[in-house]
Amino acid sequence: MSAAEEEVNPYELLGLAIEASEQEIRTAYRQRSLKVHPDRNRGNPDAARKFHELHQAQELLLDPLRRMALDAKLRLKEARKARYAQYDAKRKGLVEELEERERAFKKARTETEAQKKERWRENERIMEEGRRLREEREKELERRERERQELEKKAQTGSPGLEPPSLGPLDTTVRVKYTLVSHPSLTTAESIVALLTPFGPVDNSSIVLSLKPSPPKKPKRGTALVPFKQISGAFAAVCASGRSGNGLGDIEVDWAEGKEPELIGWLKKMGKLGTGSGPAQADSTRPAATPAQQTPLSADYKPAASAAQAPSSTDFSSFPSTFPDLDNLPKAPSATTDVPGLDYESLTLMRMRQAERERLEREIREREAREE
């Protein structure tokens, strides 16, 4: 039995005197263990504990050496009680005070050791966490370095994998969210165009504007899908989202699909997309595409009627000056159509963009209806 278990007197647990024989011990154990056996007391959670204590008491008393040590301890305890009973009140108080101090000292020492162990474990945890973070940072830096070297190697060998991805049907479209309390004038498509035109030319005829709640209630918030004619304008507007200096204070501007276009990610991966705030020079430093090569989704597409009105870059544009020349990339031959300047692929992409815009408009209206 452990020190904690020996605090319970085995003789008292079995109901025996200190002079009991082995046969009396076995008989008392058998009688009491049957009463608290777990199989007979399935609803009593303490039955197993009591049965175990009886078994431990029997083993201790049937071991001659352990029983001899226990008897000596019990006799010493009885002698101490008898001697203590003869003390006067003052001496009893001193003895109790001394014993209380000893217990307090042992408790304080145990708590101090526990605190030291806890601090040591915490320091070890922090050190291990630091080592893990440092290893992860080193692995990340090594991975980026390998990727950079691979990109440089591919650039030197002219690998076709470095070609920029094509524009998606909604890559030039942004979603604008605002409250009419902060911007009461943004209730028409024309006001949205006037707000976002400084970032780049906007496709006025394709703007989708939704004001909630619907009339006859007074609108409180607005949501608009605004297609830019160039991805650089859309990128500049998203970068200026929430900046009061650019006229977009308290206005949230994000990509229509909720994620960054693949072309923007490709530019960042190639290291060609910086954080410059100056005007972009891409349109002025590269040769313009021929009318037959221009499409509504190309980076330099400009309708004939509005080309002279909207500049190709503005002071708000943050698009890089190293924007790749998409017009010089080899293009697959496509079937011609009766509309000059548009091929079959361009018409298909226009229809896809219109269908995707209608789907997003339905989703926005359904989401706003659920929020109400």
Side-chain angles (χ1 to χ4, degrees):
M1 297 180 67
S2 63
E5 292 171 339
E6 289 181 357
E7 295 297 331
V8 179
N9 192 337
Y11 292 106
E12 295 179 356
L13 195 61
L14 294 173
L16 299 172
I18 195 171
E19 298 84 5
S21 63
E22 290 187 3
Q23 184 61 34
E24 292 175 344
I25 294 172
R26 296 179 189 277
T27 303
Y29 167 73
R30 185 165 52 254
Q31 293 175 352
R32 292 185 177 245
S33 62
L34 289 175
K35 294 180 180 180
V36 296
H37 197 280
D39 293 341
R40 293 189 175 184
N41 300 270
R42 297 183 182 277
N44 186 2
D46 294 334
R49 179 182 59 80
K50 294 179 180 179
F51 182 80
H52 178 70
E53 290 178 353
L54 291 173
H55 180 71
Q56 293 290 91
Q58 180 204 24
E59 288 186 348
L60 189 149
L61 295 179
L62 292 179
D63 187 338
L65 294 178
R66 296 176 65 189
R67 182 178 180 182
M68 187 183 300
L70 177 63
D71 292 346
K73 182 177 179 181
L74 292 177
R75 291 191 181 94
L76 182 62
K77 187 176 181 180
E78 291 295 332
R80 187 184 299 111
K81 287 183 178 179
R83 186 170 60 254
Y84 181 76
Q86 297 176 0
Y87 291 164
D88 54 9
K90 184 176 181 180
R91 193 168 182 178
K92 288 181 181 179
L94 292 175
V95 172
E96 292 177 354
E97 183 179 357
L98 179 59
E99 292 178 351
E100 180 64 27
R101 288 182 180 180
E102 289 178 354
R103 287 192 294 269
F105 174 75
K106 291 180 180 179
K107 182 179 179 181
R109 184 175 59 184
T110 304
E111 292 177 353
T112 303
E113 292 177 355
Q115 292 175 359
K116 288 181 180 179
K117 291 181 179 179
E118 183 65 24
R119 285 195 298 267
W120 178 82
R121 285 193 292 267
E122 182 68 15
N123 291 337
E124 287 294 320
R125 187 189 65 78
I126 294 174
M127 292 172 62
E128 182 64 26
E129 183 70 14
R131 283 193 295 268
R132 185 184 63 80
L133 293 176
R134 184 173 63 254
E135 291 175 357
E136 291 179 356
R137 192 182 306 111
E138 292 176 354
K139 291 180 181 179
E140 180 67 18
L141 292 176
E142 292 177 358
R143 184 186 63 80
R144 291 183 181 179
E145 182 64 20
R146 286 195 301 269
E147 291 180 354
R148 186 185 64 79
Q149 293 176 359
E150 291 176 358
L151 290 175
E152 290 180 354
K153 185 177 180 181
K154 290 181 180 179
Q156 293 175 359
T157 57
S159 174
L162 295 178
E163 295 181 0
S166 59
L167 283 172
L170 292 177
D171 284 357
T172 59
T173 304
V174 298
R175 180 187 287 107
V176 182
K177 293 183 179 180
Y178 56 91
T179 59
L180 293 176
V181 176
S182 303
H183 302 276
S185 61
L186 300 180
T187 55
T188 61
E190 290 75 11
S191 60
I192 299 293
V193 172
L195 176 68
L196 298 180
T197 296
F199 300 99
V202 178
D203 188 358
N204 303 10
S205 60
S206 300
I207 294 178
V208 178
L209 178 62
S210 173
L211 300 178
K212 290 294 179 177
S214 303
K217 296 182 180 180
K218 183 178 180 181
K220 296 182 179 179
R221 59 185 181 276
T223 304
L225 293 176
V226 183
F228 282 83
K229 295 180 180 179
Q230 299 176 4
I231 193 173
S232 58
F235 179 75
V238 172
C239 292
S241 175
R243 299 182 182 178
S244 58
N246 294 335
L248 297 182
D250 299 330
I251 296 180
E252 178 184 351
V253 182
D254 196 4
W255 297 104
E257 292 183 317
K259 62 180 181 178
E260 194 176 71
E262 294 182 0
L263 180 59
I264 301 297
W266 179 84
L267 289 172
K268 291 181 178 180
K269 185 177 180 180
M270 296 296 294
K272 296 182 179 182
L273 185 59
T275 57
S277 59
Q281 302 295 334
D283 295 334
S284 61
T285 58
R286 68 179 183 196
T290 61
Q293 293 174 328
Q294 294 179 354
T295 67
L297 299 181
S298 62
D300 57 352
Y301 170 76
K302 300 176 183 177
S306 60
Q309 299 176 2
S312 61
S313 61
T314 67
D315 293 340
F316 297 100
S317 176
S318 60
F319 217 67
S321 59
T322 56
F323 184 77
D325 191 355
L326 301 178
D327 304 317
N328 293 333
L329 296 175
K331 297 184 178 180
S334 58
T336 58
T337 62
D338 297 336
V339 183
L342 294 179
D343 55 12
Y344 176 76
E345 181 182 2
S346 302
L347 290 174
T348 302
L349 291 175
M350 289 177 63
R351 295 190 186 101
M352 290 174 60
R353 182 173 64 172
Q354 182 64 26
E356 185 68 16
R357 185 179 294 110
E358 293 175 356
R359 183 183 66 81
L360 288 175
E361 181 181 1
R362 289 196 301 271
E363 291 181 357
I364 291 174
R365 296 185 185 279
E366 292 175 359
R367 189 183 304 111
E368 291 177 348
R370 288 195 300 268
E371 292 177 354
E372 292 179 353

